[in-house]
Amino acid sequence: MGMAALLLVWALLHCTGTAVTMVRASHAVYPELQSLEAEKVDETSRTGYHFQPPKHWINDPNGPMYYKGLYHLFYQYNPKGAVWGNIVWAHSVSTDLIDWTALAPGIYPSRQFDVKGCWSGSATVLPSGVPVVMYTGIDPDEHQVQNVAYPKNLSDPFLREWVKPDYNPIIAPDSGVNASAFRDPTTAWYGPDRHWRLLVGSKVGGKGLAVLYRSRDFRRWVKAHHPLHSGLTGMWECPDFFPVAVHGGGRHYRRGVDTAELHDRALAEEVKYVLKVSLDLTRYEYYTVGTYDHATDRYTPDAGFRDNDYGLRYDYGDFYASKSFYDPAKRRRVLWGWANESDTVPDDRRKGWAGIQAIPRKLWLSPRGKQLIQWPVEEVKALRAKHVNVSDKVVKSGQYFEVTGFKSVQSDVEVEFAIGDLSKAERFNPRWLTDPQALCKKRGARETGEVGPFGLWVLAAGDLTERTAVFFRVFRANSNSSSSRLVVLMCNDPTNSTFEAQVYRPTFASFVNVDIARTKTIALRTLIDHSVVESFGAGGRTCILTRVYPKKALGDNAHLFVFNHGEVDVKVTRLDAWEMRTPKMNAPAQ
Ligand code: DQQ
C-alpha cells in the first residue's frame, strides 16, 4: 500500500466522528475543521529553529527567491485553521534564511481565476530584474489554471503587494488536459530561440507529466507537442527543473547555476540538469540527473538514474513538495521542502498548528555526477551556542553512553564513527536493494547485528523508554570474496519515539553511497528540534527527516546518547554538539 493510502486509512481509523474526503489536491480535507481558528497554540512540540508561522496549517514552499537583499519565502497556508484549506500564499522575508519576518499574505483568492484557492507555484526573476510569480489558481469550476502576479512596487524590497493582471489565467487546461490534475508551475527559463519555457505538473491516466509551455512575452503561452518528460508514477506535483554544475567544469562545482543561464552555450558544456517530481500517489519525491537538449526540448536522464518510484530522493523521510531557487548573493542553489506532521488531526486541532519547512539546504552535484549532495545552509551555524565535544571514545558491542553537559532538545550534532573490523559485516541479500525502508523495519535499532546498528538515540528519555534512533548498519554484498562490496544502510527508527500510541511512526531508510572499505569511517549530522530530527549521512549524501512527538523526552528531559548494538566495536572519533538558539521566527513586521 502506498504512503498516501496508508495515511488515509490511518486518518480514517483515528479521526472517528470527523468527515474525511480526499480531494483532487490529494491533501485530506476536513470541511468542518478547516475554518476553526486555533483557540491556543500548544508549544510542547513546537520547533525552535525550523521555519513555521505562529499558528495554523502550512504545506508547500512557494516562489522562493532573493530580491534586493532579502530572501523571500511564500508557502501554502490556511489562515483559518490547523488543517488544509482556505489556501493562500503566506509570505515571509529574511536577510539570512534564519531570522524570519512575517508579512501579510502575498497572493490570496481575489479574482475569478483563483477564487477557490491559490495553490503552489514558483518565482522567476526576469532579465530586467523584475520578479514574477506564477501559481495555480482554482477557478469557480474547480479547474486548475496558471496565473501570473507582478509586484505592485518594485522599489519595495519586501514585495508586499502583488498585482494579478486581467489577462489571467495565462495557461488554462486545454481539452487534452485533466483540469483537476494540472498544477504547480516551475520557475521559467529562457531558450536560445528567445522563448521562455516552464513546466506544469499533470497526469494522463497513470502517467505523470511535466507539461512544457513556451512563450515569447511571458503572457501568451503555447503548449509544446510533447511534455519535457513523463513517467508511469501517477500525478506529478511540484516539478522542479534546474541546472547543476559538473565537477571539472572549470568553475567551482558546488556553486549554483541560475535557470536563467540555461541558454548560455559555454555554460551548457559545464552543467547537467535535475528533474524532480513529487508523487501524489506515494507522497515521496524522486529526481534524476541528465541532459537537456535545448533544440528539441527533450530531457534524458543519465544512465544509472532510476526514473521511477525507486529513483533517488532528496530526502528519504518526511519531505515533500520541495522547491529550489538560485541564490545570486551566494551563488548557490538552495532547496526548501515541507515536512508534514505525523500526529493525528485531533492532535493538530489541539496544538493549533501543523507543518514546518525543513532547514534550507545548499544542493550540488557530487563529483562523479551520480547523485546530489545537500547540506544545511552555512548560516545555520550562526545559531550554534553552548558546545560539547567527545573524541576518540570506543563504544563496545552492546554499549552506549550519554552526551552530557548541554541541552540536546534543540541542537546540532556532528559525529564521525570509525569501524573496527569491517570483515565481520553481515551478508547482504540482494532482494533488499529495492526496499531499504523494509530492511530498516526488519532490522530496526533494537535488532543486534555485526557491524551496526550504531548511531544516535535522540530526543531520548533519561531511562531510554522514549528514543528515536538514527543509525547505520554495514553489510557485505558477497560473503566470501575478497572483492566483496560493502553496503551501508542509514536508518531512522522512531518506533520508540513516544508513548503516544496514535502517532504514525514509519521507519525511514536508504543506502549511503560511500566507499566505507576505503574510508573506514562514516559521518552523521543531525539537527534536533523538539519534534523534528533532520539527518545528513556521509556529508549530505543521504538525508532523512522525521517528525516525532515524545511525551517524556521534552525540554531539559530530552537526552542524547551514542549506541552500538553491533558485535563489532566502533569508535566515535569526534562528536561536536551545540545547543541551538531560537531565531526570530515569523514575528509580524512592525
Ligand atoms: N499542494 C498544493 C498543490 C500541490 C500540493 C495545494 C502538493 O498545488 O500539488 O496546497 O502538496
Side-chain angles (χ1 to χ4, degrees):
M1 198 185 299
M3 173 90 142
L6 274 173
L7 282 171
L8 178 60
V9 170
W10 167 81
L12 282 164
L13 285 173
H14 295 113
C15 303
T16 338
T18 300
V20 58
T21 46
M22 288 296 271
V23 286
R24 293 160 215 149
S26 80
H27 298 281
V29 176
Y30 306 89
E32 73 284 24
L33 300 181
Q34 62 187 15
S35 297
L36 288 182
E37 294 259 348
E39 281 155 23
K40 59 175 175 36
V41 172
D42 184 340
E43 299 286 335
T44 313
S45 54
R46 265 174 88 72
T47 56
Y49 61 100
H50 281 72
F51 183 100
Q52 62 178 177
K55 61 179 180 179
H56 292 158
W57 165 276
I58 80 168
N59 56 292
D60 320 354
N62 291 155
M65 69 170 128
Y66 182 81
Y67 183 73
K68 289 193 192 287
L70 288 178
Y71 292 101
H72 290 254
L73 180 66
F74 300 88
Y75 55 96
Q76 298 277 283
Y77 180 57
N78 181 356
K80 297 183 180 163
V83 300
W84 186 87
N86 309 303
I87 290 295
V88 302
W89 278 39
H91 185 191
S92 296
V93 290
S94 169
T95 54
D96 56 9
L97 296 168
I98 300 297
D99 284 302
W100 290 93
T101 301
L103 305 176
I107 311 280
Y108 44 86
S110 63
R111 305 287 299 265
Q112 281 281 94
F113 49 73
D114 64 10
V115 70
K116 293 205 166 174
C118 297
W119 290 6
S120 287
S122 310
T124 303
V125 181
L126 301 177
S128 58
V130 173
V132 197
V133 300
M134 178 134 3
Y135 67 98
T136 299
I138 311 301
D139 78 6
D141 301 323
E142 305 228 346
H143 289 171
Q144 297 170 7
V145 300
Q146 319 314 321
N147 304 315
V148 280
Y150 287 85
K152 189 169 180 183
N153 175 7
L154 283 171
S155 57
D156 172 20
F158 291 90
L159 299 172
R160 286 171 201 266
E161 288 183 88
W162 291 80
V163 178
K164 301 169 186 169
D166 291 338
Y167 55 75
N168 278 313
I170 49 155
I171 302 176
D174 62 32
S175 55
V177 168
N178 179 341
S180 64
F182 183 60
R183 54 184 180 265
D184 311 335
T186 60
T187 294
W189 69 96
Y190 199 58
D193 59 356
R194 297 165 182 244
H195 279 77
W196 287 98
R197 288 148 168 84
L198 62 75
L199 305 175
V200 179
S202 189
K203 69 168 178 180
V204 175
K207 193 200 263 187
L209 303 175
V211 185
L212 179 71
Y213 282 81
R214 297 194 192 94
S215 171
R216 270 192 183 285
D217 56 7
F218 228 92
R219 178 168 169 171
R220 278 173 303 276
W221 291 83
V222 178
K223 188 162 104 173
H225 289 303
H226 59 81
L228 182 85
H229 203 58
S230 61
L232 294 171
T233 45
M235 172 70 192
W236 282 5
E237 297 185 315
C238 301
D240 200 10
F241 184 61
F242 55 88
V244 281
V246 296
H247 194 48
R251 303 184 206 185
H252 196 288
Y253 73 98
R254 292 186 187 191
R255 81 187 195 283
V257 186
D258 190 356
T259 312
E261 296 174 273
L262 277 175
H263 63 288
D264 179 325
R265 277 179 193 281
L267 194 65
E269 313 279 301
E270 300 178 9
V271 296
K272 288 275 182 182
Y273 298 84
V274 177
L275 177 65
K276 181 279 306 183
V277 292
S278 306
L279 304 178
D280 191 14
L281 282 179
T282 57
R283 310 305 277 175
Y284 287 124
E285 307 189 310
Y286 81 91
Y287 71 84
T288 50
V289 176
T291 50
Y292 165 56
D293 183 333
H294 296 79
T296 59
D297 270 326
R298 294 271 181 197
Y299 167 73
T300 313
D302 285 355
F305 282 89
R306 278 186 268 192
D307 193 9
N308 53 37
D309 293 289
Y310 300 112
L312 295 178
R313 299 181 196 160
Y314 291 150
D315 193 296
Y316 291 83
D318 181 353
F319 189 90
Y320 193 69
S322 66
K323 190 172 296 294
S324 71
F325 75 105
Y326 175 69
D327 170 12
K330 294 206 169 176
R331 293 210 68 185
R332 60 185 171 179
R333 185 156 287 273
V334 175
L335 177 70
W336 283 102
W338 163 50
N340 197 2
E341 302 299 306
S342 295
D343 58 2
T344 65
V345 169
D347 283 337
D348 294 343
R349 277 281 304 138
R350 181 184 46 73
K351 279 150 60 195
W353 62 276
I356 59 168
Q357 304 294 348
I359 290 293
R361 305 170 178 182
K362 178 173 163 171
L363 168 154
W364 66 93
L365 186 64
S366 69
R368 292 190 180 173
K370 300 268 190 255
Q371 68 165 112
L372 296 170
I373 300 182
Q374 302 155 73
W375 199 243
V377 292
E378 61 188 9
E379 289 87 337
V380 169
K381 285 188 178 173
L383 293 174
R384 288 174 170 177
K386 186 172 185 189
H387 171 236
V388 293
N389 167 269
V390 177
S391 321
D392 292 330
K393 190 172 170 88
V394 173
V395 199
K396 289 198 166 295
S397 171
Q399 295 197 345
Y400 61 87
F401 70 88
E402 184 176 359
V403 182
T404 53
F406 88 123
K407 294 179 184 172
S408 66
V409 72
Q410 191 174 309
S411 61
D412 181 354
V413 182
E414 290 199 49
V415 57
E416 184 187 73
F417 298 96
I419 297 131
D421 184 1
L422 282 161
S423 69
K424 296 225 167 66
E426 295 159 73
R427 180 106 193 259
F428 184 75
N429 183 335
R431 282 206 308 264
W432 295 337
L433 208 53
T434 49
D435 203 348
Q437 195 163 327
L439 175 57
C440 174
K441 191 165 184 188
K442 199 165 135 168
R443 302 279 176 94
R446 278 175 303 179
E447 287 288 318
T448 56
E450 295 296 333
V451 181
F454 60 84
L456 303 176
W457 282 322
V458 305
L459 296 174
D463 59 5
L464 286 170
T465 46
E466 284 184 329
R467 60 184 195 257
T468 296
V470 188
F471 65 94
F472 299 104
R473 223 177 238 277
V474 184
F475 298 91
R476 176 168 294 280
N478 183 348
S479 60
N480 296 319
S481 145
S482 55
S483 63
S484 59
R485 204 168 53 87
L486 294 171
V487 180
V488 180
L489 179 74
M490 175 171 159
C491 278
N492 196 305
D493 183 352
T495 322
N496 295 101
S497 58
T498 181
F499 289 124
E500 180 59 67
Q502 310 287 342
V503 164
Y504 178 56
R505 273 169 286 190
T507 45
F508 290 125
S510 181
F511 299 109
V512 192
N513 188 10
V514 282
D515 184 1
I516 202 163
R518 187 179 60 78
T519 60
K520 309 249 187 324
T521 61
I522 187 144
L524 173 68
R525 179 173 181 190
T526 296
L527 302 174
I528 302 163
D529 196 2
H530 302 267
S531 61
V532 58
V533 179
E534 191 172 356
S535 300
F536 301 81
R541 287 174 175 268
T542 300
C543 307
I544 304 179
L545 186 155
T546 196
R547 302 298 309 279
V548 290
Y549 308 90
K551 290 279 160 209
K552 212 169 156 184
L554 294 166
D556 293 354
N557 296 322
H559 301 259
L560 172 71
F561 295 85
V562 177
F563 76 95
N564 177 16
H565 274 178
E567 282 296 319
V568 172
D569 295 351
V570 296
K571 183 159 88 175
V572 172
T573 50
R574 61 168 186 91
L575 182 150
D576 290 286
W578 294 264
E579 292 181 6
M580 294 293 265
R581 288 187 297 105
T582 302
K584 193 167 97 177
M585 189 49 74
N586 282 318
Q590 298 302 314

